[in-house]
Each structure stands twice: as C-alpha cells, then as structure tokens.
Amino acid sequence: MRRVSPAVAVVGASLAGLSTARALRNRSYDGRIVVVGDEVHAPYDRPPLSKEFLAGAASRDDITLTTPDDADLGIEWRLGTRAVGLDRSGRAVLLADGGEVRADGVVLATGARARRLPGSGGLGGVHVLRSLDDAIALRQDLAVAGRLVVIGAGFIGAEVAATARGLGLDVTVVEAQPIPLAGPLGADMGAVCAGLHADHGTRLLVGTGVAGLVGTDSVEAVELTDGTRLAADVVVVGIGAVPNTEWLADSGVTLGGGVLTDARGATDVPGVVAVGDCAATWSESAGRHVRAEHWTNALEQPATAAATLLGARGPGPAPAPYFWSDQYGARIQFAGSRRDGDVVRVVEGSCADRSFLALYERDGLPVAILGMNQPRLFTRWRRQLRSAVPAAS
Amino acid sequence: MIPVCPTTALPPGEAIRVEAEEPIAVFNVDGDFYAIDDTCTHQDASLADGWLDGCAVECPLHASCFDLRTGKVSGPPAKTPVRTHRVVVRDGMVYVQPRTAAGCDA
Ligand SMILES: Cc1cc2nc3c(=O)[nH]c(=O)nc-3n(C[C@H](O)[C@H](O)[C@H](O)COP(=O)(O)OP(=O)(O)OC[C@H]3O[C@@H](n4cnc5c(N)ncnc54)[C@H](O)[C@@H]3O)c2cc1C
Ligand code: FES
C-alpha cells in the first residue's frame, strides 16, 4: 500500500539521525523526511563536549553539525519533541505532545544517555556528560571549583580529567577496575594510556569502588569503599552509557542491549532501521550483535541503513571500526576489533615517549591498531586493516 | 613562489608539508601535483598526514575528505573548505604559489 506522500521519520536529531537524512537524499529519496529530536538544540557534535567545548576553546557555533547546504535537504525538524512510542506496524511514531508522525520508513537514532550513579540525584555539583546542556552546566561549575573527582577512568572520564587539569583544577580519577580502558585496549595498552594521568599531575586511584557521595545541598566529598574520603567541589560520573530504547518497549522491535539489527541496519519490523549508539548491529566478524558507541560508526552506518530502508544494495562492507580520544594533548586513535588473547606489540615509537603505534595480532594476522600521537602512520595502518577485512557475503 | 622539493622526492601517492605563513600540503596524484592548506578546517590536523584517495585527501583524525582541485569538503565534521594553491613544476623542481588571505595569488 503506497501512501500519496511517502515519508521517513527519523527519531533522534544527532549525528546518526542527521547522517541518515543526508544519506537518504544522497540516494535521491524525494519523500518527506521528518526528524524528531527531544533536545531543543539543532544537531551538534558531542566529542568536543569533553574537550574543546568544555575547555572554552570551541563555541556552540563551532560544534554545530549542520551546514548551510543542509537547508537544501528539505528536512522537517521537530525539535524539543520526544517520541514515546512506535505504532506496532512500525508506520507511525507517537509523540509526547500527543501528536504522531505517519511514515513508510522509520529510522531509530535515539543514541544513548549517561549512566548515573545510584543515589546521586539532587546533590549540587554532581554531573554526567552527554548533552550540550550537561557540558554548559559542568563548564560553569568547573570555572569556580578547585577540586574535581571523576568517577570512572573510561574515555569520557579521562578526557574530562585532562580538560579540567588544563583549566588548573586539582583532579582525582577513581576507577573500580584494576586497569583503566582494559576493555577496549587490553591491559597493556590500557595501562599505557592511563599513564597520561600521572604525567600531567592527575591522581588515579584504581581498583577502588565508590561507596557514596557526601554533602547536604552540594557535594563535599566522595567516599570510597575502603573508607577514604576525597574532598570534592565537583564530581563527574563517567561510568558508561545506556541506549535510549525504553520508548520502544511495546513496539515489536526486538531489544537486547540496544535495538537489534542485522548487518545492514534492519530491525525485525519491516521498514524500521536503527543506527548509531542505540543500535546493536550484527557483526559477522565478532559473531554477535555489537553496539558501537563511537562517532565514526554513527557517521558511516547511516549510508547502509538508508540503502536498506530504500530497498537498495550497497555500500560495500563496513570499514574497520575506528575511534579516537584526545587527552592532555595526546592523540589516541584505535581501529579494528580487539579481543582478549590478541597479542600486542609496539611497531613504531615508544610508549615511554607517548608516541607509538601498537599492533594487535590474532593467529599472526593484524586485527587492530592503536596509535598515540602518530596520525600519519596510524592512517596507513588503518587503511591496511580496512582492506584486510573480508568482504561480506 | 616557494620551492618545495625535486619532483623525484614526491612520488605518486605521496604528500609533503611545506612551511609557509599557513602551512601548505602538496600532493602527487599520478604525476599531477596539487596544493591545499595543510591544516584541516575542523581541528589541528595536518592533511599531508592524511590518506590520498584519487583527487581527495581524507583527514587523518576524523576523516573529512577534501577535494584537492577545489578544496571542497565532502562531509562532517569539517564544514568549511581549505584553500587551494597553484603548483608550478620547473626544471624538475616543484614550487607552490601561496594564495593570499584575500583569495588571489600572491
Ligand atoms: C562527551 C562525549 C565525548 C565523546 N568523544 C568521542 C570521541 O572522542 N571519539 C569518538 O569516536 N566518539 C566520541 N563520543 C561518542 C559519539 O559522540 C557518539 O558515538 C555519537 O554522538 C553517537 O551519535 P548518535 O546520533 O547515535 O547518538 P546521540 O548523539 O546520543 O544522539 C541521540 C539523540 O536522540 C535524542 N533522543 C533520545 N531519545 C529520544 C526520544 N525518545 N525522542 C526523540 N529524541 C530522542 C537524544 O536526546 C539525542 O539528541 C563522545 C560522546 C560524548 C557524550
Ligand atoms: S581534524 Fe580534520 S576532520 Fe577533524
């Protein structure tokens, strides 16, 4: 059944949603495209929120994702509007204001939100960092604070710590695991990257849980499980992100640590695709669904998902996953898929100099590459990994 | 005009960074030479470190692609083009003619 005026509804007005809208137009889709986003802001870039924007070196304008050319896409923006459900047929998005957007195709691009520390609500000075509003609030608090405690030494926690050190704060990072970043980078390289904290005068406490936050109106200290109290004017909780999928509970779309899709972004409801941080996409090489939480994934996945939605083939197999992190002026880049048991060796530079390339190998074959302050060589290795990835059947 | 290097020092597929008021990246695409601003318009990355793909270079950091002929950027995160500069090959030497801020050849 074909509607008089075809339409695609995109839910989530950020990198993945905008990229899908662009990809649809690239494929000459000329129906309506309605983008629904619960933030009032036009799409903006998140990586600078823990880096240049937090440091005050980038403005709101600098981090805007849309360009003047996007005006030609004819997107109908429904910003400041939350989607609360998907009609079981998948043909209408239900909105919090009681309205709905009827569409032949739906793109789920609702991303993820920062995980909060249980029981930390209502206390002043305690922050998570996911949105522009979060970043503005944190920046304001950092400007008048002396001591920052960051809970969680993942990428976002480490970046906030680095930016705050740059602003002159006294910074302590608390990490429950014995080695930070061991999940994404493996223990050896996780330890190398975590060494940046000490290089720059940030205290790093590992293998320590947080028992709770102390304070009446505003936070005054972080209490650790070993009884230690760390005085704090500001606390940033960086303990990961949860996909925004609750609104899909009764939609018929299968959820499992994200919206489950096949390798081409299709959910099990016809005409509904999912992209970016909210999507757990089937990965042939990993043999399971993977929810990537990286910028490049949210940029590249939409090209495939848009083709899927339009019933077209192509583009080719997904390139090797890639992400970067900037901490204390060090440029960290990683590409490929690492697993425990992979053998890692430094093939260029040295860890001590904070300038190196480390290659991860499995059965003697390169599977991933990590670079610190080596963009040129890293790019060459990343390309080789790309071409080493077997073509999807 | 700024001397860059002998043509033999810049084989096809390679790039070189030239120090100028604003650094310039010079590329050899199958024997044709192109020059653009070296610094990405997104952040502080050297495009000479990027990946040459046909007549475009992919930024080594966040993968915006710039057309070497026009300076145009193909996709986010960069939003503004880089400037292009004229390349002159004379007697086996590569030279660049930096464009001034006003947009004309200096
Ligand atoms: C501080 C920070 C730093 C980062 N740094 C890096 C980095 O250095 N390198 C890197 O590779 N990646 C980085 N990332 C990750 C990267 O930004 C994300 O992977 C990317 O933003 C994912 O894009 P997305 O569009 O899928 O989701 P999101 O950007 O999360 O956008 C989803 C949008 O949907 C909206 N939404 C949610 N639910 C609803 C609903 N029911 N109705 C309507 N709208 C809804 C959300 O409010 C949001 O606007 C960083 C992320 C953060 C937060
Ligand atoms: S620095 Fe070039 S794309 Fe970001």
Side-chain angles (χ1 to χ4, degrees):
Chain A
M1 192 178 70
R2 192 163 170 85
R3 238 171 277 281
V4 187
S5 144
V8 168
V10 178
V11 189
S14 184
L15 180 61
L18 174 65
S19 301
T20 313
R22 286 173 174 162
L24 287 166
R25 289 294 188 234
N26 251 332
R27 290 194 164 265
S28 307
Y29 173 74
D30 62 0
R32 292 173 61 205
I33 298 180
V34 184
V35 180
V36 178
D38 64 354
E39 294 186 80
V40 294
H41 309 290
Y44 58 87
D45 209 18
R46 282 175 216 276
L49 298 182
S50 50
K51 311 176 186 79
E52 303 83 7
F53 185 82
L54 190 61
S59 68
R60 169 67 180 93
D61 248 18
D62 291 334
I63 66 169
T64 295
L65 276 177
T66 45
T67 68
D69 286 350
D70 288 323
D72 300 338
L73 300 180
I75 296 172
E76 297 171 39
W77 296 99
R78 302 285 293 271
L79 299 179
T81 309
R82 175 183 291 272
V84 291
L86 184 66
D87 186 287
R88 271 195 153 270
S89 66
R91 293 301 193 249
V93 174
L94 315 177
L95 306 177
D97 62 13
E100 62 173 31
V101 179
R102 303 201 63 81
D104 322 79
V106 178
V107 179
L108 308 176
T110 45
R113 62 179 181 277
R115 184 174 286 128
R116 287 171 191 272
L117 196 65
S120 66
L123 208 53
V126 180
H127 296 260
V128 292
L129 181 54
R130 181 77 199 180
S131 66
L132 178 62
D133 294 344
D134 292 342
I136 292 171
L138 175 59
R139 196 163 75 173
Q140 275 167 359
D141 270 10
L142 290 182
V144 292
R147 291 158 307 184
L148 167 69
V149 174
V150 178
I151 300 174
F155 288 113
I156 291 183
E159 290 176 357
V160 169
T163 302
R165 274 304 288 158
L167 294 170
L169 277 83
D170 173 271
V171 182
T172 306
V173 179
V174 186
E175 169 60 51
Q177 299 298 317
I179 300 176
L181 300 172
L185 304 181
D188 295 354
M189 291 301 139
V192 171
C193 289
L196 291 170
H197 292 302
D199 292 356
H200 294 88
T202 295
R203 260 183 312 280
L204 172 66
L205 306 176
V206 295
T208 324
V210 168
L213 302 179
V214 185
T216 32
D217 296 329
S218 279
V219 70
E220 286 156 22
V222 175
E223 191 167 283
L224 305 182
T225 40
D226 65 6
T228 313
R229 274 192 178 197
L230 303 170
D233 307 314
V234 178
V235 170
V236 172
V237 179
I239 53 173
V242 226
N244 291 319
T245 54
E246 291 78 0
W247 67 285
L248 293 165
D250 301 319
S251 65
V253 169
T254 308
L255 305 174
V259 180
L260 295 189
T261 79
D262 66 12
R264 300 190 45 81
T267 68
D268 46 14
V269 174
V272 180
V273 297
V275 284
D277 279 20
C278 74
T281 310
W282 178 257
S283 159
E284 200 55 58
S285 55
R288 61 186 172 89
H289 290 90
V290 174
R291 190 171 71 83
E293 295 184 83
H294 301 305
W295 194 93
T296 312
N297 174 65
L299 177 77
E300 289 174 346
Q301 241 180 7
T304 306
T308 300
L309 202 56
L310 299 177
R313 295 184 58 83
Y322 167 61
F323 65 83
W324 74 89
S325 174
D326 300 327
Q327 305 169 22
Y328 305 101
R331 226 153 234 174
I332 299 168
Q333 298 178 283
F334 183 93
S337 311
R338 192 206 68 87
R339 258 190 238 155
D340 284 342
D342 291 348
V343 179
V344 60
R345 63 189 168 96
V346 172
V347 292
E348 189 71 42
S350 92
C351 298
D353 294 344
R354 306 297 187 224
S355 171
F356 65 91
L357 271 187
L359 181 67
Y360 298 76
E361 288 169 313
R362 194 178 307 150
D363 306 324
L365 293 174
V367 288
I369 184 87
L370 168 72
M372 188 184 280
N373 292 323
Q374 288 279 0
R376 184 183 188 101
L377 286 175
F378 177 86
T379 301
R380 272 147 188 74
W381 274 98
R382 182 182 165 204
R383 282 291 174 143
Q384 285 182 30
L385 282 181
R386 265 190 204 191
S387 42
V389 173
S393 51
Chain B
M1 278 205 305
I2 305 175
V4 178
C5 62
T7 48
T8 47
L10 190 56
E14 288 299 317
I16 191 169
R17 178 185 151 107
V18 183
E19 295 307 330
E21 208 165 310
E22 301 277 351
I24 291 173
V26 184
F27 300 83
N28 180 338
V29 182
D30 298 330
D32 292 328
F33 294 91
Y34 298 92
I36 58 173
D37 286 342
D38 182 54
T39 309
C40 182
T41 57
H42 178 230
Q43 281 170 19
D44 191 15
S46 163
L47 293 175
D49 286 351
W51 186 260
L52 200 52
D53 195 359
C55 256
V57 62
E58 183 187 297
C59 173
L61 288 193
H62 316 125
S64 276
C65 279
F66 295 89
D67 190 311
L68 299 181
R69 294 159 299 190
T70 60
K72 276 199 181 134
V73 60
S74 72
K79 286 176 284 184
T80 41
V82 286
R83 293 176 310 166
T84 57
H85 306 279
R86 202 153 65 88
V87 183
V88 176
V89 179
R90 194 178 293 155
D91 302 329
M93 275 294 290
V94 182
Y95 301 83
V96 281
Q97 177 84 71
R99 198 186 287 265
T100 61
C104 43
D105 288 351

